[in-house]
Amino acid sequence: MAIFEDLTTMGHEQVVFCHDKTTGLKAIIAIHDTTLGPALGGCRMWDYKSDEEALRDVLRLSRGMTYKNAVTGLNLGGGKSVIIGDPKKLKSEALFRTFGRFVDSLGGRYITAEDVNIRVSDIEQVGLETAYITGVSSRAGGSGDPSPVTAWGVFQGIKASVKYKLNKDALKGVSVAIQGAGAVGSHLVEYLVNEGAKVYVADIDPEKVKSNVKLYGAEAAQLHEIHKLDVDVFAPCALGGFLNDQTIPDIKAPIVAGAANNQLLDEIVHGAMLKERGILYAPDYVINAGGVINVYQELQGYDAEIAKKKASGIYDTLLAIYQQADDQQITTNAASNMIAEQRIQSVRAMKDLRNTMDNQTWVQTSRGRGR
Ligand code: NAD
């Protein structure tokens, strides 16, 4: 019964438990909300300690996708799936094809893609059994690596934040400290340097720092110093949970805007802490939405330029969020949640009204027939 309590509190529509003895598949698909369209969200494979832990994760992640897709303006609902087990031991074509049949049985209410421990090739195997996939390789006609478009969205988000907080239209002379020079971080370095920003990078992998210094003229910074630098923007592009009690007091930058998922260790406490310190925080799921914009574009027929153009919309989305947060004296993450909820509620009200009208028409027509 506790499961239904959770579903009621969190607002989920449907949760599907998938089991197959032959392949060892144990998966959960969570459809949080389909008001705006089919529920899109990646599939994660993880060796969860318990089924409860897997359930909690998929419920939390699928709800997050509803907010992300809604605030980004996509005609998509939120969903997510998890496959329980050690990816090194359990992965097989049969497992992914079986999972694909479960996805297919939902008739398009849920569309899957890659997430942690799931590669493009795994999703392509899922795709042998269902059309409801996205994020396949460019070789197979898909959108391929999403990181250039994600980084483009983050770049636009940094520009919006600099405009709002520092009233600057251009990034020339603006300084940015990037934590994590991986797939997204490196593209971001390039976009920023091309616009005349001064960029600092730190990464646990020294080779990645070296290549960004060499290729783009970024300046190397110490791992434990990167968030303390006296710069205009701190851009976390590595880990979740980095914004916490220990790190926030050390941040000198007036703006935090980066690609990493789940940056706030505690959404309420640390969102408020940043606000109290006068730091403008770009909600992570908004600024890093280029990835989902990219796979959404694949569903419409992929075009990299169109995907990039749509990711540029993150600029205006963030400005609206910042304005609403200031107007209502709330945190930017609360404002973003509010905008997402308002969009869903207004579409839901419109659909309810249409259903009521359809029902009335049906009643009148059948009465007419009865006469
Ligand atoms: P990545 O693995 O390519 O890059 C992450 C980088 O961070 C790596 O170079 C790694 O060495 C470095 N790193 C790890 N721990 C670190 C630490 N303590 N300090 C400094 N550097 C550290 O991943 P990515 O695809 O670039 O994604 C980066 C972040 O953005 C992740 O949080 C990811 O979930 C999020 N994100 C990525 C995309 C995408 O399109 N790839 C989309 C949305 C969100």
Side-chain angles (χ1 to χ4, degrees):
M1 289 309 289
I3 293 181
F4 283 102
E5 267 173 44
D6 282 350
L7 301 189
T8 309
T9 316
M10 296 178 79
H12 285 77
E13 288 178 14
Q14 186 179 12
V15 179
V16 183
F17 291 83
C18 318
H19 179 241
D20 179 67
K21 216 169 155 186
T22 318
T23 57
L25 176 76
K26 273 176 42 173
I28 311 174
I29 301 172
I31 296 178
H32 179 255
D33 193 290
T34 56
T35 306
L36 300 177
L40 182 137
C43 174
R44 175 170 294 196
M45 189 163 187
W46 197 258
D47 200 4
Y48 292 100
K49 287 192 197 79
S50 66
D51 297 347
E52 285 73 20
E53 190 189 28
L55 180 63
R56 300 246 167 273
D57 207 27
V58 77
L59 293 181
R60 182 181 63 84
L61 293 167
S62 55
R63 185 175 61 170
M65 287 308 298
T66 296
Y67 281 85
K68 181 174 201 145
N69 293 337
V71 79
T72 306
L74 301 178
N75 298 321
L76 289 172
K80 201 89 181 184
S81 53
V82 293
I83 296 179
I84 302 168
D86 183 345
K88 289 199 191 85
K89 292 185 192 146
L90 208 65
K91 277 192 179 187
S92 69
E93 180 189 346
L95 177 115
F96 287 117
R97 291 184 73 147
T98 305
F99 177 68
R101 284 199 288 278
F102 280 107
V103 172
D104 202 60
S105 73
L106 294 167
R109 275 172 56 72
Y110 170 65
I111 301 170
T112 196
E114 300 96 53
D115 196 75
V116 177
N117 287 329
I118 296 288
R119 292 191 308 255
V120 169
S121 56
D122 301 328
I123 288 299
E124 285 172 356
Q125 288 178 341
V126 174
L128 295 172
E129 302 291 338
T130 180
Y132 304 120
I133 59 158
T134 185
V136 297
S137 64
S138 32
R139 179 179 36 82
S143 55
D145 175 12
S147 58
V149 177
T150 302
W152 182 255
V154 175
F155 171 64
Q156 294 297 330
I158 289 177
K159 286 179 89 162
S161 309
V162 166
K163 171 71 184 161
Y164 195 84
K165 184 80 180 169
L166 308 175
N167 199 23
K168 287 186 183 171
D169 288 309
L171 294 180
K172 194 166 175 17
V174 168
S175 51
V176 184
I178 300 180
Q179 180 192 50
V184 178
S186 301
H187 287 294
L188 181 61
V189 174
E190 185 183 359
Y191 297 141
L192 289 166
V193 168
N194 286 346
E195 186 112 340
K198 167 85 191 137
V199 180
Y200 300 84
V201 286
D203 196 293
I204 48 169
D205 181 347
E207 288 308 316
K208 290 190 177 163
V209 176
K210 261 190 222 161
S211 83
N212 277 284
V213 170
K214 193 166 164 221
L215 283 172
Y216 311 117
E219 191 164 319
Q222 296 295 319
L223 264 183
H224 59 282
E225 293 287 332
I226 188 81
H227 67 289
K228 301 179 187 168
L229 296 182
D230 194 1
V231 289
D232 297 308
V233 183
F234 170 52
C237 295
L239 308 169
F242 188 77
L243 302 173
N244 55 47
D245 289 350
Q246 280 71 45
T247 56
I248 293 174
D250 290 335
I251 296 174
K252 295 190 191 74
I255 296 165
V256 172
N261 274 315
N262 307 317
Q263 291 172 31
L264 300 166
L265 186 61
D266 182 299
E267 214 188 298
I268 294 171
V269 174
H270 299 117
M273 207 166 161
L274 287 167
K275 182 176 182 297
E276 274 156 29
R277 293 179 57 83
I279 297 171
L280 183 69
Y281 169 64
D284 49 11
Y285 71 84
V286 182
I287 193 169
N288 72 17
V292 74
I293 291 172
N294 202 53
V295 290
Y296 179 67
Q297 194 52 44
E298 183 177 321
L299 298 171
Q300 332 258 306
Y302 190 64
D303 181 317
E305 278 314 305
I306 296 178
K308 227 171 142 184
K309 206 167 155 208
K310 288 192 176 158
S312 299
I314 289 172
Y315 184 100
D316 287 334
T317 305
L318 277 174
L319 287 185
I321 289 168
Y322 295 154
Q323 194 58 59
Q324 177 140 341
D326 271 349
D327 290 348
Q328 303 199 1
Q329 282 305 298
I330 54 177
T331 60
T332 51
N333 41 314
S336 160
N337 289 349
M338 202 178 266
I339 290 171
E341 281 161 11
Q342 279 162 355
R343 179 172 176 226
I344 294 167
Q345 272 157 19
S346 68
V347 172
R348 192 177 289 143
M350 179 269 288
K351 283 186 170 179
D352 287 348
L353 182 66
R354 207 172 47 195
N355 284 342
T356 312
M357 286 165 69
D358 285 350
N359 286 342
Q360 281 170 353
T361 311
W362 186 84
V363 170
Q364 280 163 5
T365 316
S366 46
R367 270 194 199 134
R369 268 200 221 101
R371 255 189 231 128

